[in-house]
Amino acid sequence: MRSDNPSSFDPAQERLRRWRLVLGGEADGTGFSLSNETDLGMDQALAALYSRAEQKGRGGLSASAPHVARWLGDIRTYFPAPVVHIMQKDALERLNLSQMLLQPEMLEAVTPDIHLVSTILSLSKVIPEQTRHTARQVVRALVAQLEKKLEGPLRQAITGALHRAAHHRRPRYADMDWNRTIRANLKHYQPDYKTIIPERRIGYERRKSASRLRDIILCVDQSGSMASSVVYASIYAAVMASLPAIKTSLVLFDTAVIDLTPELHDPVDVLFGAQLGGGTDIGQALTYCQSLIHVPNDTILILISDLYEGSHPDRLLRHAASLVNAGVQVITLLALSDEGRPSFNHQIAARLVALGIPCFACTPDQFPGLMAAAIKREDLHEWAAGEGIVAVRAGVTPFSG
């Protein structure tokens, strides 16, 4: 947002110009007058969203969908992408534009981002047929953008972790990987005896099916507060489903449970299968996930939820304890998003930690590292601390009721 004429740039005038754009015409105390066409266009775009007078009906964004569509085009012209995303989110929240997303000309004008797609998905059941194709295009554009960013790191992290997990260090004689064992113990060569003392033994894991090393279940809360997490979890589940060495299941829940595993070939179908909003019954979801588990010691179950249980907390805790006691590696992610520290039920989180279940939030960029650490059976509290993540600790006043 710098003046169009660099040769006449004056830092003091630039500060006044920026303040004028921030404060708008109604609250302007800078004495600075906007003159060039770009500045005036920026000012009008900002005023349409943030000016009280505009919101009271003098040509504000609530006037019509075509007006909003033009405004969306304007802000992409005047502002960089991060600012566009913030302004789109503010428009949805401040001016209640959800109904306008049901109109094709509106959807064709938007820049896809996580907040917009979350709103579209929450309206997916009421989107008119003539708008549905455009809505899917918007969602598909964001999915493609996120897949390009997220797929490589996740695929690399999981593949590397599985390769290392395919060996263990207490093998029986028949399972010894002699080449790796010798290389790992060369420093223990004994010249007097002309032999190597194998202090570290490495062997191949014995499995009924060598082609599949882990079962991974993503159990995702699709209540309204978890919308961004649903989007990221669905994309990551689709990526993991394409890896032959793991079997991935995706289960979404509110007060009902829906298994979207058969749709993982297309994350857009997964997202439109979600039903954002509604209540929460985590215990019921864990009951269903237990039915998917065949080899508990080889299963990683990731519960993605803010833990605001709307049903019976005791049932949730009983099922969680049962899973842990059976040998399932259970992890609770309080959020999978870039939206900062989430709101969550601290009491239930502390009870889960007391059961041996790590509880923390992580960003989409941190998720590949989490999966690698889980597959290698590392201490996830140590992993979280290394990532600067504040994990929930046991010891909070227990949940009662």
Side-chain angles (χ1 to χ4, degrees):
M1 284 172 38
R2 176 168 286 197
S3 173
D4 289 342
N5 186 359
S7 63
S8 61
F9 178 72
D10 180 335
Q13 289 295 303
E14 178 65 11
R15 282 195 296 273
L16 289 173
R17 171 181 166 274
R18 288 171 177 255
W19 274 114
R20 167 61 183 80
L21 288 168
V22 169
L23 295 172
E26 295 172 333
D28 179 26
T30 64
F32 186 91
S33 297
L34 301 174
S35 56
N36 68 61
E37 184 177 344
T38 299
D39 285 352
L40 291 171
M42 292 170 65
D43 188 50
Q44 290 173 4
L46 290 166
L49 176 57
Y50 299 110
S51 167
R52 288 189 298 272
E54 293 288 350
Q55 290 179 31
K56 290 177 182 177
R58 298 209 317 258
L61 287 183
S62 57
S64 68
H67 188 177
V68 174
R70 287 194 299 272
W71 177 81
L72 288 165
D74 288 344
I75 64 174
R76 289 203 303 273
T77 299
Y78 297 127
F79 302 101
V83 177
V84 170
H85 294 163
I86 292 171
M87 293 179 73
Q88 284 183 168
K89 181 174 180 288
D90 285 349
L92 289 168
E93 293 176 352
R94 293 164 64 96
L95 302 179
N96 191 27
L97 297 182
S98 296
Q99 287 300 314
M100 290 192 183
L101 288 177
L102 306 182
Q103 304 179 40
E105 64 268 26
M106 170 72 169
L107 286 174
E108 289 170 356
V110 297
T111 298
D113 62 34
I114 193 74
H115 303 291
L116 180 65
V117 165
S118 298
T119 302
I120 291 173
L121 295 176
S122 69
L123 299 170
S124 63
K125 304 307 177 188
V126 297
I127 291 178
E129 192 60 37
Q130 68 270 22
T131 307
R132 188 168 297 276
H133 176 69
T134 306
R136 289 182 68 89
Q137 286 183 318
V138 172
V139 174
R140 191 172 296 282
L142 179 71
V143 167
Q145 174 186 326
L146 292 178
E147 279 186 320
K148 183 178 180 180
K149 174 185 176 183
L150 303 175
E151 180 176 3
L154 180 65
R155 187 179 292 273
Q156 182 177 2
I158 289 180
T159 302
L162 286 171
H163 177 72
R164 287 185 287 274
H167 298 81
H168 64 87
R169 298 180 182 180
R170 290 186 179 179
R172 292 179 289 186
Y173 184 85
D175 298 326
M176 288 282 287
D177 183 341
W178 290 106
N179 288 333
R180 286 171 59 87
T181 298
I182 290 170
R183 285 198 302 270
N185 291 279
L186 286 174
K187 61 183 178 181
H188 302 304
Y189 178 72
Q190 303 294 314
D192 294 341
Y193 298 98
K194 296 183 179 180
T195 191
I196 291 173
I197 305 299
E199 293 187 6
R200 176 187 171 198
R201 293 175 295 164
I202 302 174
Y204 298 104
E205 253 186 294
R206 296 171 64 89
R207 293 181 179 274
K208 293 181 180 179
S209 172
S211 63
R212 198 177 78 217
L213 302 178
R214 290 290 188 275
D215 290 345
I216 297 175
I217 302 171
L218 296 183
C219 182
V220 188
D221 184 344
Q222 62 177 354
S223 59
S225 59
M226 300 297 294
S228 295
S229 297
V230 171
V231 175
Y232 285 117
S234 299
I235 292 171
Y236 272 133
V239 173
M240 290 190 293
S242 69
L243 300 176
I246 58 178
K247 178 179 182 292
T248 303
S249 300
L250 176 65
V251 175
L252 303 186
F253 67 91
D254 41 37
T255 54
V257 177
I258 178 171
D259 190 336
L260 290 174
T261 305
E263 308 299 329
L264 285 177
H265 63 280
D266 186 347
V268 176
D269 286 343
V270 171
L271 290 172
F272 274 93
Q275 301 178 19
L276 299 181
T280 309
D281 190 339
I282 305 172
Q284 179 178 240
L286 292 182
T287 300
Y288 178 80
C289 289
Q290 281 183 302
S291 71
L292 302 177
I293 296 171
H294 303 292
V295 186
N297 288 330
D298 289 342
T299 301
I300 301 171
L301 191 156
I302 302 178
L303 172 64
I304 304 178
S305 174
D306 54 16
L307 301 178
Y308 287 113
E309 174 65 301
S311 184
H312 304 287
D314 288 342
R315 182 178 62 164
L316 153 62
L317 295 167
R318 283 196 304 271
H319 284 304
S322 175
L323 287 163
V324 172
N325 292 336
V328 176
Q329 189 176 3
V330 184
I331 304 164
T332 297
L333 291 185
L334 303 167
L336 177 58
S337 72
D338 290 309
E339 297 178 356
R341 190 171 184 176
S343 170
F344 63 95
N345 188 315
H346 292 257
Q347 293 172 317
I348 292 182
R351 292 282 294 273
L352 291 175
V353 172
L355 295 174
I357 299 173
C359 291
F360 46 79
C362 82
T363 67
D365 288 341
Q366 292 168 325
F367 187 78
L370 168 64
M371 290 308 308
I375 289 170
K376 291 183 289 184
R377 305 182 193 277
E378 295 178 358
D379 185 315
L380 294 185
H381 286 101
E382 290 185 5
W383 174 84
E387 293 289 317
I389 296 172
V390 179
V392 176
R393 297 182 180 181
V396 176
T397 303
F399 185 90
S400 58

